[in-house]
Short mmCIF file of all heavy atoms in Angstrom, two decimals:
data_model
loop_
_atom_site.label_atom_id
_atom_site.label_comp_id
_atom_site.label_asym_id
_atom_site.label_seq_id
_atom_site.Cartn_x
_atom_site.Cartn_y
_atom_site.Cartn_z
N ASN A 89 -17.67 -37.06 -21.41
CA ASN A 89 -16.64 -38.05 -21.08
C ASN A 89 -17.20 -39.48 -21.21
O ASN A 89 -16.51 -40.39 -21.68
CB ASN A 89 -16.05 -37.84 -19.70
CG ASN A 89 -17.09 -37.71 -18.61
OD1 ASN A 89 -18.01 -36.89 -18.71
ND2 ASN A 89 -16.97 -38.54 -17.57
N HIS A 90 -18.48 -39.71 -20.85
CA HIS A 90 -19.05 -41.06 -20.89
C HIS A 90 -19.09 -41.58 -22.35
O HIS A 90 -18.89 -42.78 -22.56
CB HIS A 90 -20.47 -41.06 -20.32
CG HIS A 90 -20.46 -41.14 -18.82
ND1 HIS A 90 -21.00 -42.19 -18.13
CD2 HIS A 90 -19.92 -40.31 -17.89
CE1 HIS A 90 -20.86 -42.02 -16.83
NE2 HIS A 90 -20.21 -40.87 -16.68
N GLU A 91 -19.35 -40.71 -23.30
CA GLU A 91 -19.40 -41.19 -24.70
C GLU A 91 -18.07 -41.77 -25.15
O GLU A 91 -18.01 -42.55 -26.06
CB GLU A 91 -19.80 -40.01 -25.62
CG GLU A 91 -21.27 -39.72 -25.69
CD GLU A 91 -21.77 -38.77 -24.62
OE1 GLU A 91 -20.97 -38.58 -23.64
OE2 GLU A 91 -22.83 -38.22 -24.73
N LEU A 92 -16.99 -41.37 -24.54
CA LEU A 92 -15.67 -41.82 -24.97
C LEU A 92 -15.19 -43.06 -24.25
O LEU A 92 -14.06 -43.50 -24.44
CB LEU A 92 -14.66 -40.68 -24.80
CG LEU A 92 -14.50 -39.76 -26.07
CD1 LEU A 92 -15.79 -39.14 -26.42
CD2 LEU A 92 -13.43 -38.73 -25.86
N TRP A 93 -16.02 -43.65 -23.41
CA TRP A 93 -15.68 -44.94 -22.83
C TRP A 93 -15.64 -46.01 -23.87
O TRP A 93 -16.57 -46.14 -24.69
CB TRP A 93 -16.71 -45.34 -21.74
CG TRP A 93 -16.67 -44.51 -20.50
CD1 TRP A 93 -15.87 -43.46 -20.22
CD2 TRP A 93 -17.48 -44.74 -19.35
NE1 TRP A 93 -16.14 -42.97 -18.96
CE2 TRP A 93 -17.11 -43.74 -18.39
CE3 TRP A 93 -18.48 -45.65 -19.01
CZ2 TRP A 93 -17.70 -43.65 -17.15
CZ3 TRP A 93 -19.08 -45.55 -17.78
CH2 TRP A 93 -18.69 -44.55 -16.84
N THR A 94 -14.57 -46.81 -23.90
CA THR A 94 -14.46 -47.87 -24.90
C THR A 94 -14.14 -49.22 -24.29
O THR A 94 -14.42 -50.24 -24.88
CB THR A 94 -13.35 -47.57 -25.92
OG1 THR A 94 -12.09 -47.53 -25.25
CG2 THR A 94 -13.60 -46.27 -26.60
N GLN A 95 -13.57 -49.24 -23.10
CA GLN A 95 -13.07 -50.50 -22.55
C GLN A 95 -14.25 -51.42 -22.18
O GLN A 95 -15.22 -51.02 -21.56
CB GLN A 95 -12.19 -50.24 -21.31
CG GLN A 95 -10.95 -49.46 -21.66
CD GLN A 95 -10.06 -50.23 -22.65
OE1 GLN A 95 -9.38 -51.15 -22.29
NE2 GLN A 95 -10.08 -49.80 -23.89
N SER A 96 -14.13 -52.67 -22.59
CA SER A 96 -15.12 -53.72 -22.31
C SER A 96 -16.48 -53.39 -22.89
O SER A 96 -17.50 -53.78 -22.35
CB SER A 96 -15.24 -53.91 -20.76
OG SER A 96 -14.02 -54.25 -20.21
N GLN A 97 -16.50 -52.71 -24.01
CA GLN A 97 -17.75 -52.44 -24.69
C GLN A 97 -17.81 -53.26 -25.97
O GLN A 97 -17.15 -52.97 -26.98
CB GLN A 97 -17.87 -50.94 -25.03
CG GLN A 97 -17.86 -50.03 -23.82
CD GLN A 97 -18.99 -50.35 -22.87
OE1 GLN A 97 -20.12 -50.54 -23.29
NE2 GLN A 97 -18.71 -50.34 -21.58
N MET A 98 -18.61 -54.36 -25.95
CA MET A 98 -18.66 -55.25 -27.10
C MET A 98 -19.12 -54.55 -28.37
O MET A 98 -18.66 -54.84 -29.46
CB MET A 98 -19.60 -56.44 -26.80
CG MET A 98 -19.06 -57.39 -25.75
SD MET A 98 -20.19 -58.77 -25.48
CE MET A 98 -20.18 -59.54 -27.12
N GLU A 99 -20.01 -53.58 -28.19
CA GLU A 99 -20.54 -52.86 -29.37
C GLU A 99 -19.40 -52.07 -30.07
O GLU A 99 -19.33 -52.02 -31.28
CB GLU A 99 -21.65 -51.92 -28.94
CG GLU A 99 -22.38 -51.27 -30.12
CD GLU A 99 -23.53 -50.41 -29.65
OE1 GLU A 99 -23.40 -49.75 -28.62
OE2 GLU A 99 -24.57 -50.39 -30.33
N ASP A 100 -18.51 -51.46 -29.27
CA ASP A 100 -17.40 -50.76 -29.86
C ASP A 100 -16.48 -51.71 -30.60
O ASP A 100 -15.95 -51.40 -31.69
CB ASP A 100 -16.61 -50.03 -28.77
CG ASP A 100 -17.41 -48.91 -28.10
OD1 ASP A 100 -18.34 -48.45 -28.71
OD2 ASP A 100 -17.06 -48.55 -26.95
N GLU A 101 -16.25 -52.89 -30.02
CA GLU A 101 -15.40 -53.90 -30.66
C GLU A 101 -16.00 -54.36 -31.98
O GLU A 101 -15.25 -54.54 -32.97
CB GLU A 101 -15.19 -55.06 -29.69
CG GLU A 101 -14.41 -54.65 -28.45
CD GLU A 101 -14.42 -55.79 -27.39
OE1 GLU A 101 -14.94 -56.89 -27.71
OE2 GLU A 101 -13.92 -55.54 -26.28
N GLU A 102 -17.30 -54.54 -32.00
CA GLU A 102 -17.96 -55.00 -33.26
C GLU A 102 -17.84 -53.96 -34.35
O GLU A 102 -17.74 -54.32 -35.54
CB GLU A 102 -19.42 -55.30 -32.95
CG GLU A 102 -19.66 -56.54 -32.07
CD GLU A 102 -21.10 -56.66 -31.60
OE1 GLU A 102 -21.92 -55.84 -32.04
OE2 GLU A 102 -21.37 -57.61 -30.84
N LEU A 103 -17.83 -52.69 -33.95
CA LEU A 103 -17.72 -51.61 -34.94
C LEU A 103 -16.24 -51.29 -35.21
O LEU A 103 -15.96 -50.38 -35.95
CB LEU A 103 -18.43 -50.37 -34.42
CG LEU A 103 -19.96 -50.46 -34.43
CD1 LEU A 103 -20.55 -49.28 -33.66
CD2 LEU A 103 -20.51 -50.44 -35.86
N GLN A 104 -15.36 -52.01 -34.58
CA GLN A 104 -13.90 -51.86 -34.69
C GLN A 104 -13.50 -50.43 -34.26
O GLN A 104 -12.63 -49.79 -34.85
CB GLN A 104 -13.46 -52.13 -36.16
CG GLN A 104 -13.72 -53.56 -36.56
CD GLN A 104 -13.17 -53.87 -37.99
OE1 GLN A 104 -13.10 -53.00 -38.82
NE2 GLN A 104 -12.84 -55.09 -38.20
N VAL A 105 -14.17 -49.96 -33.20
CA VAL A 105 -13.73 -48.72 -32.55
C VAL A 105 -12.76 -49.09 -31.49
O VAL A 105 -13.14 -49.71 -30.47
CB VAL A 105 -14.95 -47.99 -31.96
CG1 VAL A 105 -14.52 -46.72 -31.22
CG2 VAL A 105 -15.96 -47.63 -33.04
N ASP A 106 -11.51 -48.75 -31.68
CA ASP A 106 -10.44 -49.28 -30.84
C ASP A 106 -10.09 -48.38 -29.66
O ASP A 106 -9.60 -48.86 -28.64
CB ASP A 106 -9.18 -49.50 -31.69
CG ASP A 106 -8.05 -50.07 -30.88
OD1 ASP A 106 -8.24 -51.17 -30.31
OD2 ASP A 106 -6.99 -49.44 -30.78
N ASN A 107 -10.33 -47.09 -29.80
CA ASN A 107 -9.93 -46.19 -28.72
C ASN A 107 -10.87 -44.95 -28.65
O ASN A 107 -11.76 -44.82 -29.51
CB ASN A 107 -8.47 -45.69 -28.94
CG ASN A 107 -8.26 -45.03 -30.28
OD1 ASN A 107 -8.80 -43.96 -30.54
ND2 ASN A 107 -7.52 -45.72 -31.19
N SER A 108 -10.66 -44.13 -27.67
CA SER A 108 -11.57 -42.99 -27.42
C SER A 108 -11.53 -41.95 -28.55
O SER A 108 -12.54 -41.31 -28.83
CB SER A 108 -11.26 -42.35 -26.06
OG SER A 108 -11.47 -43.29 -25.03
N ILE A 109 -10.39 -41.78 -29.17
CA ILE A 109 -10.26 -40.82 -30.27
C ILE A 109 -11.08 -41.29 -31.48
O ILE A 109 -11.87 -40.57 -32.06
CB ILE A 109 -8.79 -40.58 -30.66
CG1 ILE A 109 -7.99 -40.01 -29.50
CG2 ILE A 109 -8.70 -39.63 -31.86
CD1 ILE A 109 -8.47 -38.68 -28.98
N GLU A 110 -10.94 -42.57 -31.79
CA GLU A 110 -11.71 -43.15 -32.90
C GLU A 110 -13.22 -43.05 -32.60
O GLU A 110 -14.05 -42.76 -33.47
CB GLU A 110 -11.33 -44.61 -33.11
CG GLU A 110 -9.99 -44.78 -33.84
CD GLU A 110 -9.73 -46.24 -34.18
OE1 GLU A 110 -10.69 -47.08 -34.08
OE2 GLU A 110 -8.60 -46.58 -34.53
N LYS A 111 -13.59 -43.34 -31.35
CA LYS A 111 -14.99 -43.32 -30.99
C LYS A 111 -15.55 -41.91 -31.12
O LYS A 111 -16.69 -41.72 -31.59
CB LYS A 111 -15.21 -43.85 -29.57
CG LYS A 111 -16.67 -44.08 -29.25
CD LYS A 111 -16.87 -44.77 -27.95
CE LYS A 111 -18.34 -45.07 -27.70
NZ LYS A 111 -18.60 -45.74 -26.39
N PHE A 112 -14.79 -40.91 -30.67
CA PHE A 112 -15.24 -39.53 -30.81
C PHE A 112 -15.58 -39.20 -32.25
O PHE A 112 -16.64 -38.66 -32.56
CB PHE A 112 -14.18 -38.59 -30.28
CG PHE A 112 -14.45 -37.15 -30.55
CD1 PHE A 112 -15.27 -36.39 -29.67
CD2 PHE A 112 -13.93 -36.49 -31.67
CE1 PHE A 112 -15.53 -35.04 -29.90
CE2 PHE A 112 -14.20 -35.16 -31.93
CZ PHE A 112 -15.01 -34.44 -31.05
N HIS A 113 -14.67 -39.51 -33.17
CA HIS A 113 -14.87 -39.15 -34.56
C HIS A 113 -15.98 -40.02 -35.18
O HIS A 113 -16.71 -39.54 -36.09
CB HIS A 113 -13.57 -39.27 -35.35
CG HIS A 113 -12.58 -38.19 -35.00
ND1 HIS A 113 -12.77 -36.90 -35.41
CD2 HIS A 113 -11.42 -38.22 -34.26
CE1 HIS A 113 -11.77 -36.15 -34.93
NE2 HIS A 113 -10.94 -36.93 -34.24
N HIS A 114 -16.14 -41.25 -34.70
CA HIS A 114 -17.27 -42.06 -35.15
C HIS A 114 -18.59 -41.39 -34.77
O HIS A 114 -19.55 -41.35 -35.56
CB HIS A 114 -17.17 -43.45 -34.53
CG HIS A 114 -18.33 -44.37 -34.85
ND1 HIS A 114 -18.35 -45.13 -35.96
CD2 HIS A 114 -19.51 -44.56 -34.20
CE1 HIS A 114 -19.51 -45.81 -36.01
NE2 HIS A 114 -20.22 -45.47 -34.96
N ILE A 115 -18.64 -40.86 -33.54
CA ILE A 115 -19.88 -40.18 -33.05
C ILE A 115 -20.15 -38.93 -33.87
O ILE A 115 -21.35 -38.64 -34.21
CB ILE A 115 -19.73 -39.85 -31.55
CG1 ILE A 115 -19.80 -41.13 -30.75
CG2 ILE A 115 -20.81 -38.89 -31.09
CD1 ILE A 115 -19.44 -40.96 -29.29
N ILE A 116 -19.13 -38.16 -34.23
CA ILE A 116 -19.34 -36.95 -35.05
C ILE A 116 -19.91 -37.32 -36.43
O ILE A 116 -20.85 -36.67 -36.91
CB ILE A 116 -18.02 -36.18 -35.19
CG1 ILE A 116 -17.48 -35.72 -33.83
CG2 ILE A 116 -18.22 -34.99 -36.12
CD1 ILE A 116 -18.45 -34.88 -33.02
N LYS A 117 -19.40 -38.39 -37.02
CA LYS A 117 -19.93 -38.85 -38.30
C LYS A 117 -21.37 -39.35 -38.13
O LYS A 117 -22.22 -39.11 -39.01
CB LYS A 117 -19.06 -39.96 -38.88
CG LYS A 117 -17.69 -39.48 -39.36
CD LYS A 117 -16.87 -40.59 -39.89
CE LYS A 117 -15.49 -40.11 -40.34
NZ LYS A 117 -14.63 -41.23 -40.82
N LEU A 118 -21.66 -40.02 -37.04
CA LEU A 118 -23.02 -40.47 -36.73
C LEU A 118 -23.98 -39.28 -36.69
O LEU A 118 -25.07 -39.32 -37.25
CB LEU A 118 -23.01 -41.23 -35.41
CG LEU A 118 -24.42 -41.59 -34.82
CD1 LEU A 118 -25.16 -42.57 -35.71
CD2 LEU A 118 -24.23 -42.14 -33.43
N CYS A 119 -23.54 -38.22 -35.98
CA CYS A 119 -24.39 -37.01 -35.85
C CYS A 119 -24.66 -36.42 -37.24
O CYS A 119 -25.80 -35.99 -37.53
CB CYS A 119 -23.72 -35.98 -34.97
SG CYS A 119 -23.71 -36.47 -33.20
N ASP A 120 -23.65 -36.35 -38.08
CA ASP A 120 -23.81 -35.81 -39.42
C ASP A 120 -24.88 -36.61 -40.21
O ASP A 120 -25.69 -36.06 -40.91
CB ASP A 120 -22.50 -35.85 -40.18
CG ASP A 120 -21.49 -34.81 -39.68
OD1 ASP A 120 -21.92 -33.88 -38.99
OD2 ASP A 120 -20.28 -34.97 -39.97
N SER A 121 -24.85 -37.94 -40.03
CA SER A 121 -25.77 -38.77 -40.79
C SER A 121 -27.21 -38.63 -40.30
O SER A 121 -28.17 -38.80 -41.07
CB SER A 121 -25.35 -40.27 -40.67
OG SER A 121 -25.53 -40.74 -39.35
N ILE A 122 -27.38 -38.28 -39.01
CA ILE A 122 -28.72 -38.08 -38.44
C ILE A 122 -29.22 -36.69 -38.67
O ILE A 122 -30.42 -36.45 -38.67
CB ILE A 122 -28.67 -38.43 -36.93
CG1 ILE A 122 -28.30 -39.89 -36.71
CG2 ILE A 122 -30.00 -38.11 -36.25
CD1 ILE A 122 -28.08 -40.25 -35.26
N GLY A 123 -28.30 -35.72 -38.86
CA GLY A 123 -28.71 -34.32 -38.97
C GLY A 123 -28.63 -33.57 -37.67
O GLY A 123 -29.25 -32.53 -37.47
N VAL A 124 -27.80 -34.08 -36.75
CA VAL A 124 -27.55 -33.40 -35.48
C VAL A 124 -26.33 -32.54 -35.61
O VAL A 124 -25.25 -32.97 -36.11
CB VAL A 124 -27.36 -34.46 -34.35
CG1 VAL A 124 -26.84 -33.79 -33.06
CG2 VAL A 124 -28.63 -35.21 -34.09
N HIS A 125 -26.41 -31.28 -35.13
CA HIS A 125 -25.33 -30.31 -35.29
C HIS A 125 -24.23 -30.50 -34.24
O HIS A 125 -24.51 -30.49 -33.04
CB HIS A 125 -25.87 -28.86 -35.16
CG HIS A 125 -26.89 -28.52 -36.17
ND1 HIS A 125 -26.62 -28.27 -37.49
CD2 HIS A 125 -28.25 -28.35 -36.03
CE1 HIS A 125 -27.72 -27.96 -38.14
NE2 HIS A 125 -28.71 -28.01 -37.29
N THR A 126 -23.00 -30.66 -34.70
CA THR A 126 -21.85 -30.66 -33.81
C THR A 126 -20.87 -29.53 -34.18
O THR A 126 -19.80 -29.44 -33.61
CB THR A 126 -21.09 -32.00 -33.88
OG1 THR A 126 -20.64 -32.25 -35.23
CG2 THR A 126 -21.98 -33.14 -33.42
N LYS A 127 -21.29 -28.69 -35.12
CA LYS A 127 -20.54 -27.54 -35.55
C LYS A 127 -21.42 -26.29 -35.35
O LYS A 127 -22.64 -26.39 -35.25
CB LYS A 127 -20.11 -27.66 -37.04
CG LYS A 127 -19.21 -28.85 -37.32
CD LYS A 127 -18.89 -28.90 -38.79
CE LYS A 127 -17.99 -30.08 -39.11
NZ LYS A 127 -18.71 -31.38 -38.90
N PRO A 128 -20.81 -25.09 -35.33
CA PRO A 128 -21.63 -23.87 -35.16
C PRO A 128 -22.67 -23.72 -36.23
O PRO A 128 -22.50 -24.09 -37.36
CB PRO A 128 -20.60 -22.74 -35.23
CG PRO A 128 -19.29 -23.38 -34.85
CD PRO A 128 -19.37 -24.79 -35.36
N GLY A 129 -23.82 -23.13 -35.83
CA GLY A 129 -24.90 -22.86 -36.75
C GLY A 129 -25.68 -21.66 -36.30
O GLY A 129 -25.51 -21.16 -35.19
N VAL A 130 -26.61 -21.22 -37.16
CA VAL A 130 -27.43 -20.04 -36.85
C VAL A 130 -28.89 -20.46 -36.99
O VAL A 130 -29.28 -21.04 -38.00
CB VAL A 130 -27.11 -18.88 -37.80
CG1 VAL A 130 -27.96 -17.64 -37.43
CG2 VAL A 130 -25.63 -18.52 -37.74
#
Side-chain angles (χ1 to χ4, degrees):
N89 52 305
H90 278 242
E91 279 87 343
L92 269 59
W93 288 3
T94 64
Q95 296 300 283
S96 302
Q97 299 300 317
M98 291 183 62
E99 189 176 37
D100 294 339
E101 294 170 6
E102 291 171 3
L103 289 167
Q104 297 183 332
V105 177
D106 181 59
N107 58 67
S108 297
I109 300 299
E110 284 187 13
K111 189 171 185 182
F112 172 85
H113 289 289
H114 176 87
I115 290 171
I116 298 304
K117 290 179 181 178
L118 169 66
C119 290
D120 288 343
S121 69
I122 297 173
V124 170
H125 300 286
T126 60
K127 299 178 180 67
V130 182

